[in-house]
Amino acid sequence: MSNTPLYEIKDLEYRYGDKFILDIPHLTIERGNSISLSGPNGSGKSTLLKILAFIEFPCRGTVSFNGIKATNVNAPLTQNVTLLLQDPY
């Protein structure tokens, strides 16, 4: 098995217009680990999940999946990730 983390985030910033939502200097999610996100409404939990599912892309910083840096043009990464929402659209 590879030593490459499943996800690695570096210097991530995300904004909705003028509203600052996320600032993550560094986050690594190793293979086979479970994580949880907690925080008040509007703290960026769902936005982070959308970024990890490549539905949204950060304003600044990098997100790597299996060692591949994600961009809004490398759509093949989206075939390897699923986001299941609590409430369907």
Side-chain angles (χ1 to χ4, degrees):
M1 184 170 280
S2 173
N3 289 333
T4 304
L6 185 61
Y7 282 98
E8 187 168 20
I9 292 174
K10 293 181 181 176
D11 301 319
L12 184 140
E13 286 185 4
Y14 190 88
R15 298 174 184 268
Y16 281 119
D18 292 339
K19 187 176 179 185
F20 191 66
I21 301 294
L22 289 174
D23 180 11
I24 302 174
H26 188 257
L27 173 66
T28 301
I29 302 173
E30 300 293 338
R31 297 169 191 283
N33 286 353
S34 296
I35 64 165
S36 65
L37 302 174
S38 65
N41 289 346
S43 63
K45 301 177 300 291
S46 295
T47 300
L48 177 59
L49 291 174
K50 289 176 186 177
I51 290 171
L52 293 175
F54 310 113
I55 296 169
E56 299 279 346
F57 293 90
C59 300
R60 186 178 87 92
T62 60
V63 178
S64 296
F65 179 75
N66 278 327
I68 301 169
K69 189 181 292 186
T71 65
N72 57 0
V73 295
N74 61 358
L77 284 180
T78 63
Q79 296 174 357
N80 297 304
V81 179
T82 300
L83 175 62
L84 179 62
L85 301 173
Q86 179 177 350
D87 296 318
Y89 285 102

